[in-house]
Amino acid sequence: MQDKKCEESCGLFGIFGDAEAVQKTYFGLHSLQHRGQESAGIASIDGEFIQCYTGMGTVRRVFRAGRDILEKLSSRIAIGHVRYSTSGTSRIANCQPLLAEYSRGQVAVAHNGNLINASLLRDEYEAYGSIFKSTSDTEIITHLLAKPTHVGKSDPLAHVLNHLQGAYSLLFLFNDRIEAARDPYGIRPLCIGKTGKGSYAVASETCALDAIGAEFIREVEPGEIVRLDKDGLHSRYFVTPGTITPAHCIFEHIYFAKQNSTIFGENVHEFRKKLGRQLAKEHPVEADVVIPVPDSGTSAAVGYSEQSGIPFDMGLVRSHYVGRTFISPNQKLRELEVRLKLAVVNEVVSGKRVVVVDDSIVRGTTTRGKIRALRHAGAKQIHMRVSCPPIRFPCFYGVDFPTKEELLANNRNLQQIVEFLDVDSIGYMSLEGLLQCATFPADHYCTACWSGKYRVPVDVAVNKFSMEHYQMHMFEDLSENYG
Ligand code: SF4
């Protein structure tokens, strides 16, 4: 598992019409594990009722405990979810899929993204007495679906989606179908595949389709709802196509998505290699070796090496067996932790002028630890090259960056960053260079964490604790009663 600098909000997988729907959902979720490791869950239909099994931890951990559940959930329809909390803290009540019952029956919901108006909507519903069982933004969707004035609409789901603001790729499991929807800006990815005659899968990334042998058909379009039922695949739109310019999260391409996935019309590895080549054009340097920060910096380092002619080598090796260590009380132990996770191959860097390529720098503390380890191993010069621009602004669309104040580039100029990291030089990709490498026109991407221009207006800054004050009040009351 990666030592992650920031976290994605979630991964989705669903399948309709397959005799091994639950087992394939399990495999699909495994391949999306990089999108969230805090909790996992699968909802399926047992006879006529939706059953949902969720737990804290990785897919392997959750379903090792509930192995018999995988066998019991034997229906031909399933949806699943892996979560990292960007709205609502990490706890069992916030695990997904979220299961709810309302006047039309049951529904299970799985969500990737962040709803920026969830807190506002929740306040409105609570003012009329609604009770919420979680602190995640996703739960408001089930309340919107259940509202009597919404239930009566000709297309209740489309009507509900038009009330949501922000980033959302969604899977809904009803007792006879799956509905997959993507927000009008297409911020988070979502794709469809075919697994056999009359059988379809839907996933956050194509790597999950590959994992179960499904054939990629296409992406779910921004503002589209795709319904999978016994009659096949049906498409409809809840916003008129072409009326909203997309805002795909380009950070998915740079950091989050898996190298073998194709998202936003392009393979992730190829895109990152292009970034590396562009980076070498923008920031050339005389050096002996190009090394990546694995894993997400590897493809860009290959591109940098190809363009510059400087040999590529593996100077840092990641241990995939070290999870979160939790022992970080002081700087010295923190550095030991970095070394444990990312070991230096001394023979590659000793006495050399080294170009280190990373996909991004968020806080900079982990990067500084790696640089120290390289110096310790005898690197003569260290030139840092970063395949995205300096991150200066938070994300409100489903990526858990630290606060603005904690971002390395927020209050520092390049010289100060060089000093902080203790490198001989630094070169960040320009925003123009980044967008030149992209498949779609420049205005089809969200670039807010570099530019500060938020395409979906953010009136109130939300974070993962925005709806947590309810729980805190509860504990405060308890302490008053029992303290
Ligand atoms: S702010 Fe950055 S991370 Fe968030 S959606 Fe936009 S590009 Fe992606």
Side-chain angles (χ1 to χ4, degrees):
M1 198 170 302
Q2 285 190 37
D3 171 26
K4 301 196 90 172
K5 55 189 98 183
C6 56
E7 301 275 358
E8 170 65 89
S9 51
C10 299
L12 312 177
F13 188 87
I15 187 162
F16 184 94
D18 192 297
E20 293 168 326
V22 173
Q23 289 76 9
K24 286 184 177 169
T25 300
Y26 172 78
F27 286 122
L29 291 181
H30 250 296
S31 71
L32 295 170
Q33 191 75 83
H34 58 287
R35 299 183 69 87
Q37 299 100 42
E38 285 186 358
S39 68
I42 295 177
S44 180
I45 299 174
D46 177 14
E48 49 185 303
F49 296 109
I50 298 176
Q51 302 282 350
C52 196
Y53 186 82
T54 57
M56 301 301 294
T58 59
V59 177
R60 185 186 155 101
R61 187 168 167 187
V62 169
F63 288 98
R64 188 169 52 198
R67 202 176 303 164
D68 53 328
I69 300 284
L70 277 179
E71 276 148 31
K72 272 190 208 145
L73 293 174
S74 59
S75 119
R76 297 173 72 84
I77 319 176
I79 64 168
H81 187 267
V82 286
R83 178 173 193 256
Y84 176 78
S85 49
T86 55
S87 172
T89 49
S90 179
R91 60 162 102 160
I92 192 79
N94 288 336
C95 295
Q96 295 189 23
L98 269 182
L99 181 59
E101 273 188 58
Y102 70 119
S103 59
R104 290 292 171 97
Q106 288 179 296
V107 60
V109 188
H111 174 203
N112 173 207
N114 251 27
L115 302 178
I116 51 182
N117 65 336
S119 199
L120 211 67
L121 288 169
R122 183 169 170 145
D123 286 348
E124 279 176 28
Y125 276 72
E126 286 186 323
Y128 286 96
S130 292
I131 294 171
F132 288 76
K133 63 181 181 183
S134 78
T135 54
S136 97
D137 56 347
T138 310
E139 195 180 356
I140 190 65
I141 301 170
T142 59
H143 284 258
L144 287 163
L145 269 173
K147 191 174 179 179
T149 51
H150 295 173
V151 168
K153 297 287 177 193
S154 59
D155 187 344
L157 182 56
H159 183 76
V160 164
L161 295 176
N162 272 311
H163 282 74
L164 306 180
Q165 287 168 16
Y168 53 91
S169 285
L170 289 162
L171 295 185
F172 295 87
L173 175 66
F174 295 94
N175 65 0
D176 59 345
R177 67 192 189 279
I178 291 173
E179 306 251 21
R182 199 163 165 216
D183 70 70
Y185 293 86
I187 297 175
R188 301 275 148 236
L190 194 62
C191 61
I192 318 167
K194 196 164 173 41
T195 63
K197 196 165 182 294
S199 165
Y200 295 93
V202 56
S204 293
E205 293 180 34
T206 58
C207 65
L209 300 180
D210 294 340
I212 63 150
E215 178 199 342
F216 171 69
I217 302 178
R218 65 175 177 87
E219 298 192 8
V220 176
E221 295 294 325
E224 184 186 15
I225 303 171
V226 171
R227 175 184 167 127
L228 306 173
D229 65 18
K230 64 178 178 33
D231 299 318
L233 184 154
H234 321 265
S235 164
R236 66 191 191 279
Y237 285 83
F238 60 98
V239 292
T240 311
T243 53
I244 294 178
T245 308
H248 306 309
C249 169
I250 202 164
F251 207 63
E252 289 270 357
H253 253 318
I254 294 165
Y255 175 67
F256 283 119
K258 242 189 203 170
Q259 285 96 327
N260 60 323
S261 285
T262 293
I263 57 164
F264 312 143
E266 184 162 10
N267 169 259
V268 172
H269 171 64
E270 291 301 327
F271 181 77
R272 289 180 189 166
K273 271 204 304 187
K274 256 195 278 178
L275 293 183
R277 290 196 285 267
Q278 177 68 21
L279 190 59
K281 285 183 204 158
E282 291 189 12
H283 298 287
V285 63
E286 283 193 14
D288 304 307
V289 66
V290 175
I291 66 166
V293 176
D295 296 320
S296 50
T298 305
S299 306
V302 170
Y304 194 100
S305 168
E306 281 175 3
Q307 180 67 35
S308 64
I310 303 168
F312 171 93
D313 211 335
M314 295 300 290
L316 291 164
V317 181
R318 182 177 295 281
S319 169
H320 291 271
Y321 303 101
V322 184
R324 290 186 181 171
T325 56
F326 298 111
I327 49 158
S328 305
N330 62 47
Q331 186 58 32
K332 204 156 175 233
L333 285 176
R334 262 196 294 274
E335 279 174 25
L336 285 179
E337 188 182 339
V338 172
R339 271 193 225 176
L340 189 66
K341 289 176 175 171
L342 214 55
V344 179
V345 183
N346 294 2
E347 289 71 11
V348 172
V349 301
S350 179
K352 306 256 180 71
R353 297 168 299 171
V354 181
V355 180
V356 183
V357 179
D358 205 349
D359 55 273
S360 56
I361 302 179
V362 179
R363 286 185 184 83
T365 44
T366 313
T367 306
R368 189 167 59 173
K370 291 166 198 158
I371 301 297
R372 281 208 184 132
L374 289 168
R375 290 235 184 260
H376 190 75
K380 203 161 73 181
Q381 290 176 14
I382 301 176
H383 302 279
M384 191 78 215
R385 296 294 179 266
V386 188
S387 64
C388 80
I391 297 172
R392 296 202 168 95
F393 300 93
C395 173
F396 299 108
Y397 309 140
V399 174
D400 189 28
F401 283 137
T403 61
K404 198 173 169 189
E405 293 65 39
E406 290 174 282
L407 294 169
L408 175 69
N410 176 44
N411 283 321
R412 289 183 180 87
N413 60 31
L414 283 183
Q415 184 51 36
Q416 289 167 322
I417 293 174
V418 164
E419 285 163 19
F420 178 87
L421 296 177
D422 188 25
V423 289
D424 294 277
S425 74
I426 191 157
Y428 282 96
M429 172 78 90
S430 67
L431 190 53
E432 298 70 32
L434 168 63
L435 292 168
Q436 265 171 33
C437 294
T439 319
F440 296 121
D443 64 349
H444 282 46
Y445 294 93
C446 173
T447 58
C449 46
W450 305 290
S451 64
K453 293 177 188 153
Y454 295 92
R455 291 281 308 282
V456 186
V458 182
D459 301 328
V460 184
V462 286
N463 62 37
K464 67 194 277 182
F465 305 110
S466 290
M467 285 177 281
E468 287 296 327
H469 59 282
Y470 302 97
Q471 259 61 25
M472 276 150 61
H473 286 165
M474 192 173 81
F475 289 124
E476 278 164 20
D477 288 349
L478 282 176
S479 62
E480 271 171 30
N481 291 338
Y482 299 105

